[in-house]
Amino acid sequence: MSANREIENLIELMAKLPGLGPRSARRAVLHLIRKRALLLTPLADAMQEVAATARECLNCGNVATSDICDICQDNRRANGELCVVEDVADLWAMERSGVFKGRYHVLGGTLSALDAVGPEELRIPKLLDRIPGEHVTEVILALNATVEGQTTAHYIADQLEGQVKLTSLAQGVPIGGELDYLDDGTISAALRARKEF
């Protein structure tokens, strides 16, 4: 059994990843071992490289391999628009859409009195510093439609009142969504944000 300890360690580590439990991790590891040359070795090399080079962008909080990420370095994106998101996964989701051409600010979470997360524990002070320094004219609050997300959005809006144009993402019926499957809050938000047809 000791000869398999390394494999068991790998399975245990894989099982800690989001979306993978012990059984899924076991299947993934078995697949990697079977495709060692094609998948396992390149994956191990890539993980080692990322472990050595990945860091948080000093400006926006994105994940990068240099101190300042590519988005912050791109002068074409210095258009005065700054999109505020909770975490890097949200930034990546916005980038996948290919629609937003400004810059981002990653908060690193949301305000939560229960978890003792205040503005100082998040990147809110850094956000407030960026506004005048980068000539920001609009802040788009792209925070999740949760109590904590909306509390954080209101706090930021209070801090920036009168300094810049503040907007938030539209909320309501998703494209392809059916009313019968939507919750009451989504339907209410969609009805309040209705527009002329």
Side-chain angles (χ1 to χ4, degrees), residues 105 119-130:
H105 188 82
E120 298 300 322
E121 284 72 39
L122 302 176
R123 300 183 81 248
I124 292 176
K126 175 69 174 167
L127 169 64
L128 302 177
D129 291 343
R130 286 184 70 186

Side-chain angles (χ1 to χ4, degrees), residues 155-176:
Y155 177 84
I156 292 169
D158 288 345
Q159 298 299 305
L160 295 176
E161 188 175 1
Q163 296 180 45
V164 293
K165 177 181 176 182
L166 287 165
T167 58
S168 64
L169 296 182
Q171 297 174 355
V173 180
I175 293 174

Side-chain angles (χ1 to χ4, degrees), residues 139-157:
V139 172
I140 302 163
L141 298 170
L143 303 176
N144 292 326
T146 61
V147 172
E148 293 85 2
Q150 296 309 298
T151 300
T152 306
H154 286 293
Y155 177 84
I156 292 169

Side-chain angles (χ1 to χ4, degrees), residues 4-160:
N4 292 327
R5 189 66 224 149
E6 293 82 3
I7 295 172
E8 290 299 320
N9 284 342
L10 180 57
I11 291 169
E12 288 173 16
L13 288 170
M14 293 281 285
K16 293 180 181 181
L17 295 173
L20 288 181
R23 289 175 51 180
S24 299
R26 192 169 297 281
R27 283 193 301 272
V29 168
L30 184 58
H31 182 74
L32 287 170
I33 291 170
R34 286 182 181 148
K35 305 281 187 177
R36 184 177 322 199
L38 187 64
L39 290 175
L40 185 58
T41 302
L43 178 62
D45 292 343
M47 290 177 78
Q48 188 172 12
E49 180 71 21
V50 169
T53 61
R55 60 185 55 117
E56 189 177 276
C57 174
L58 297 175
N59 195 41
C60 74
N62 190 10
V63 174
T65 56
S66 59
D67 288 338
I68 304 296
C69 73
D70 292 343
I71 294 172
C72 288
Q73 289 183 38
D74 187 350
N75 288 329
R76 295 171 297 179
R77 297 189 81 134
N79 60 8
E81 295 177 349
L82 189 65
C83 183
V84 178
V85 295
E86 287 179 31
D87 59 39
V88 175
D90 298 331
L91 185 155
W92 289 357
M94 293 287 290
E95 279 297 285
R96 272 195 316 271
S97 75
V99 176
F100 183 66
K101 301 299 182 197
R103 290 187 174 159
Y104 295 93
H105 188 82
V106 180
L107 294 175
T110 53
L111 296 173
S112 174
L114 290 175
D115 298 322
V117 178
E120 298 300 322
E121 284 72 39
L122 302 176
R123 300 183 81 248
I124 292 176
K126 175 69 174 167
L127 169 64
L128 302 177
D129 291 343
R130 286 184 70 186
I131 303 302
E134 294 183 27
H135 309 293
V136 174
T137 56
E138 179 182 4
V139 172
I140 302 163
L141 298 170
L143 303 176
N144 292 326
T146 61
V147 172
E148 293 85 2
Q150 296 309 298
T151 300
T152 306
H154 286 293
Y155 177 84
I156 292 169
D158 288 345
Q159 298 299 305
L160 295 176

